[in-house]
Amino acid sequence: MAHQMSIFSWALTYVTRTGRKNKSSSFSACSMHRPLGLARRWRNVPVYRPLVELSTMEERHVILTYRLDRDTMQELCAQLEPDLMSPIRQPTGIPPLVQVLSVLHFLASGSFQTTVVISSGMSQPMFSKVLSRVLSALMKYMRSYIVFPEVGDLATVKGDFYALGHIPNIIGAIDGTHVALVPPRESEQVYRNRKSYHSMNVQVVCLADQYISHVNAKFPGSVHDAYIMRNSSIPYVMGQLQRHCVWLLRDSGYPNLLWLLTPVRNPRTRAEERYNEAHGRTTRVIERTFGLLKARFRCLHMTGGSLMYSPKKVCQIIVACCMLHNLALRRQVPFLQKDGPDGGVVAAVGPVESEEEEGEEDDIDNRNTVIEQYFQ
């Protein structure tokens, strides 16, 4: 429609000119547009003309569309710019800002590529390349965005968790969630989870403020949560922190370990019941984290459809969404919905359904000590 505001700051048009053989050139990312003089030097060179300035969009519309505010997107673009610039002998590259905006819109909307293609002006093959490029660039900064609490931060983290349920020395809640995908034909059964759809089983550790401090998205849906935990870096990291007497919380789908507290399955005393109540109040934060993550980035939610990419790229998409989720929290970007209460601001998202299975209890002395000391 003529009056419909595009979600992008730039429109892509192709100019065909007859000229000399292609020569190398470079241009500044996020610039106003490619100088028209350069178009005379190549055949079928894409020329970017300003359509709608990002600065003219309302801030609420920017956040609804991209899940980040204007300033945060500009800083993210500047960080990724060196990795998103086109090779010097390929002057037909898309400016980094356009690449970042197109990928953010895809992650936020959960739409298929064709929808994004129509909105951005790119061809579908071009958007596929842009998606791979932006994901690869983001992966380089994963350890800057997803960070496990350091020793100097433990006191603050423990205090935040204690405020939730009055269980001391907690530094994280751990759980798994499933992200639907179209599986490879040769290993279709490996990706079928216990609810009979194909997925990646994603292990996440979060803090009391829903910040994601660890994510493992490498395992298919048929793999049990406890197996993923044992084959992740969590046992090593928590082993290194044991001298500080800290724990993670998880439901009964995990074994009770020296550094992992689970609820009592069949409480027999009032103290065990009080412990279970406090445990439930505290571990709800991980379900709220999954709810907010999947509401903010609809590509991870079942309503967004199954991701039609290779498991490796699906893993990158999941990790990228976790990184951007943390970025939004740290920059205090509100989560907005078109029909949400109070003008669309949503303070918390209801918990998603948790998947529990029977797990063997390996070490209950640690849990009994906590119950005796704090819940009698």
Side-chain angles (χ1 to χ4, degrees):
M1 296 177 61
H3 299 286
Q4 183 177 4
M5 179 177 292
S6 169
I7 64 170
F8 291 91
S9 302
W10 312 97
L12 175 60
T13 59
Y14 286 91
V15 177
T16 303
R17 296 181 183 273
T18 302
R20 293 174 292 177
K21 189 177 180 180
N22 288 4
K23 295 184 179 180
S24 63
S25 178
S26 61
F27 60 93
S28 174
C30 304
S31 59
M32 285 296 296
H33 57 79
R34 186 193 302 276
L36 292 178
L38 291 179
R40 299 186 181 93
R41 301 173 60 183
W42 303 290
R43 298 176 183 269
N44 300 326
V45 176
V47 177
Y48 296 89
R49 304 179 187 276
L51 179 63
V52 176
E53 290 285 352
L54 189 62
S55 59
T56 64
M57 297 175 63
E58 294 183 2
E59 188 71 6
R60 183 175 183 275
H61 182 60
V62 172
I63 297 174
L64 278 171
T65 305
Y66 305 112
R67 302 302 193 242
L68 299 176
D69 59 30
R70 184 180 293 104
D71 293 339
T72 302
M73 284 194 298
Q74 294 284 3
E75 292 184 12
L76 179 65
C77 177
Q79 183 181 40
L80 302 181
E81 180 176 333
D83 298 300
L84 300 182
M85 290 290 291
S86 297
I88 193 170
R89 294 190 179 277
Q90 296 182 16
T92 60
I94 299 174
L97 180 60
V98 179
Q99 298 182 52
V100 172
L101 291 180
S102 64
V103 172
L104 286 177
H105 177 255
F106 169 71
L107 299 178
S109 66
S111 61
F112 293 109
Q113 286 190 10
T114 51
T115 302
V116 179
V117 167
I118 293 173
S119 302
S120 67
M122 302 180 202
S123 65
Q124 184 168 344
M126 177 59 73
F127 176 75
S128 182
K129 293 179 181 178
V130 166
L131 178 61
S132 297
R133 181 179 296 181
V134 173
L135 291 176
S136 296
L138 282 169
M139 294 305 104
K140 294 183 179 181
Y141 299 95
M142 181 181 67
R143 297 187 183 277
S144 300
Y145 285 82
I146 302 176
V147 183
F148 207 79
E150 298 181 353
V151 174
D153 302 322
L154 293 182
T156 301
V157 174
K158 290 190 290 186
D160 292 341
F161 270 107
Y162 187 80
L164 296 180
H166 292 178
I167 302 180
N169 300 326
I170 303 302
I171 63 169
I174 184 172
D175 203 348
T177 188
H178 289 265
V179 175
L181 85 164
V182 177
R185 290 184 179 180
E186 63 275 10
S187 53
E188 179 266 340
Q189 286 300 323
V190 177
Y191 292 88
R192 187 180 297 276
N193 60 36
R194 64 194 297 265
K195 295 184 179 180
S196 298
Y197 69 90
H198 302 98
S199 66
M200 299 295 290
N201 192 355
V202 185
Q203 175 187 271
V204 168
V205 178
C206 76
L207 305 186
D209 61 356
Q210 302 181 51
Y211 176 90
I212 294 174
S213 59
H214 168 86
V215 59
N216 188 330
K218 299 184 297 184
F219 290 89
S222 64
V223 178
H224 188 263
D225 291 351
Y227 179 88
I228 297 176
M229 184 192 66
R230 288 195 300 267
N231 289 273
S232 70
S233 60
I234 290 299
Y236 173 79
V237 172
M238 292 302 297
Q240 296 296 306
L241 294 175
Q242 271 310 288
R243 68 179 186 274
H244 300 284
C245 298
V246 293
W247 301 300
L248 298 179
L249 289 185
R250 174 54 167 106
D251 60 31
S252 57
Y254 282 68
N256 201 78
L257 304 175
L258 181 64
W259 44 265
L260 184 65
L261 295 179
T262 61
V264 179
R265 284 208 190 94
N266 300 302
R268 299 178 180 178
T269 66
R270 181 56 187 152
E272 291 179 345
E273 291 176 354
R274 284 194 291 266
Y275 165 79
N276 276 1
E277 292 170 0
H279 189 286
R281 289 195 301 270
T282 308
T283 54
R284 288 193 192 103
V285 67
I286 186 67
E287 304 301 339
R288 292 196 298 271
T289 299
F290 287 146
L292 179 58
L293 176 67
K294 292 186 176 183
R296 178 173 269 143
F297 300 105
R298 303 300 294 182
C299 67
L300 304 182
H301 198 275
M302 288 289 291
T303 57
S306 299
L307 289 169
M308 297 188 295
Y309 301 98
S310 68
K312 180 180 179 180
K313 182 170 284 190
V314 171
C315 175
Q316 290 181 329
I317 290 173
I318 295 168
V319 174
C321 289
C322 292
M323 294 169 60
L324 296 170
H325 166 86
N326 285 349
L327 177 61
L329 290 179
R330 288 298 177 250
R331 294 298 299 265
Q332 298 182 347
V333 180
F335 171 60
L336 303 180
Q337 290 188 131
K338 293 182 180 180
D339 300 320
D342 301 326
V345 179
V346 177
V349 177
V352 296
E353 185 178 355
S354 179
E355 182 175 300
E356 294 188 16
E357 293 187 15
E358 293 293 319
E360 55 181 302
E361 298 189 348
D362 297 335
D363 187 347
I364 63 174
D365 292 339
N366 183 43
R367 185 178 64 191
N368 289 340
T369 300
V370 173
I371 295 174
E372 292 173 1
Q373 290 183 357
Y374 299 99
F375 295 96
Q376 288 291 352

